[in-house]
Every structure is written in structure tokens, then in C-alpha cells.
Amino acid sequence: MYSFMGGGLFCAVMANILLVVSTATDYWMQYRLSGSFAHQGLWRSCMSGKCYTLTDSIAYWNATRAFMILSAMSCFAGIIAGILSFAHFSAFERFNRSFAAGIMFFTSTLFVLLAMAIYTGVTVNFLGKRFGDWRFSWSYILGWVALLMTFFAGIFYMCAYRMHECRRVAGPR
């Protein structure tokens, strides 16, 4: 049980770091515009060594930003519940912290999946046709890796919960 929780906690901490880095950096997409290379993230667009804040209130940027922030917050809440799940005592008999951590990690997975799907769909269908020479960059890839890490953290914590429940139902030997 502790090995599942430890593995889940490791995946969750790494996922939370990746979520924050992915959300904050400016390399979601790289493209060539007027002969020079440019890159943009969720918050800024950079061209010729100068970065400009994205002030336009475009729905897909706002949705992607919101879901990435919600994902990082949910993952952080799951980390707190995961750390607390190492303590055996609980004030509530029916509340299991491993289960709560697993649910928070799956919620984080859902939020990051929504963010990545929205950004991918709009980029491929709109921006991809606008810029001829473009590609997704490393910040975007970190978002997908964070999705996998939050998913595996949820799996690990659900396995720990299942092992705990099996032991509880079987009783002492």
C-alpha cells in the first residue's frame, strides 16, 4: 500500500511541477512569421527577441489558461491529501484520504485533458492554417506529459485505496 502511495506521490509532485512550468512558459507553439522565428505561450507571444503580453480576450486562450490553472490546483490538493493519507488515523470513519487523493488526481487529469484538447483543436484548425511553418513546442509537450503523470498518480492512489479496503474488510489475522 505504501509503495503505491509513494509512487503516486512522486508522479503527482512531478506532474504539478510540469503543469506549472507548462502553463507559465512561452513555448506552446513556434512558427515562422515574416522570415523570423516566433513563439507563443498562453500568456505572451515573442518575436525577434521581444515579448508581448497577449491582451486579447480570446475564448480558447482563456479556457486553456483556466483549465491548466484548475488542473494545477487540483493536483496540489491531491498532493496534500496524498501526504495526509500516510497518517493512519482519520476523524471520519468513511473518509479515506487515499481515495480523495485519487479523485483529485483524476480531476486534475480531466482538467489538463480539456485544456490540451481545446488548445490542440484551435491551433490545428485555425492557427495552423494561418502560419505555414509551425509546430507545437516543449511547453505544450510538458502539458501532455503532466496529463499522463496525473493519471498514473490517480491510478496509484486508487490501488492503495483498494489494498487498504481489502485489508480492512478481511480484518486482522
Side-chain angles (χ1 to χ4, degrees):
M1 180 172 80
Y2 288 115
S3 60
F4 281 123
M5 290 188 333
L9 196 57
F10 174 75
C11 286
V13 169
M14 295 307 295
N16 207 24
I17 291 169
L18 293 176
L19 284 168
V20 170
V21 169
S22 175
T23 304
T25 54
D26 300 328
Y27 286 88
W28 279 62
M29 182 176 138
Q30 291 179 331
Y31 52 91
R32 186 183 300 239
L33 186 64
S34 302
S36 65
F37 287 103
H39 56 89
Q40 81 179 37
L42 299 177
W43 310 98
R44 298 187 319 169
S45 180
C46 301
M47 186 180 336
S48 302
K50 296 177 184 170
C51 293
Y52 307 97
T53 303
L54 297 172
T55 57
D56 298 336
S57 182
I58 299 175
Y60 89 96
W61 274 334
N62 291 338
T64 304
R65 291 171 187 161
F67 283 129
M68 289 298 285
I69 291 169
L70 286 172
S71 178
M73 290 170 48
S74 178
C75 187
F76 184 74
I79 289 170
I80 298 300
I83 290 171
L84 292 175
S85 71
F86 280 100
H88 288 291
F89 61 91
S90 177
F92 306 103
E93 186 63 33
R94 293 185 160 191
F95 178 74
N96 188 298
R97 293 180 185 119
S98 297
F99 183 77
I103 293 299
M104 293 308 292
F105 295 135
F106 285 136
T107 303
S108 179
T109 302
L110 175 67
F111 285 146
V112 74
L113 178 65
L114 288 171
M116 301 308 287
I118 290 168
Y119 189 85
T120 303
V122 172
T123 300
V124 168
N125 290 323
F126 176 69
L127 295 177
K129 295 175 182 170
R130 183 174 159 204
F131 304 112
D133 186 17
W134 69 276
R135 66 185 178 106
F136 291 116
S137 194
W138 60 269
S139 296
Y140 173 82
I141 294 167
L142 288 181
W144 283 108
V145 174
L147 179 134
L148 291 174
M149 298 294 275
T150 56
F151 179 74
F152 285 121
I155 293 290
F156 284 143
Y157 268 92
M158 286 302 175
C159 288
Y161 167 72
R162 180 76 174 139
M163 287 182 70
H164 175 71
E165 285 300 305
C166 289
R167 287 183 185 162
R168 188 180 66 79
V169 170
R173 291 185 183 196

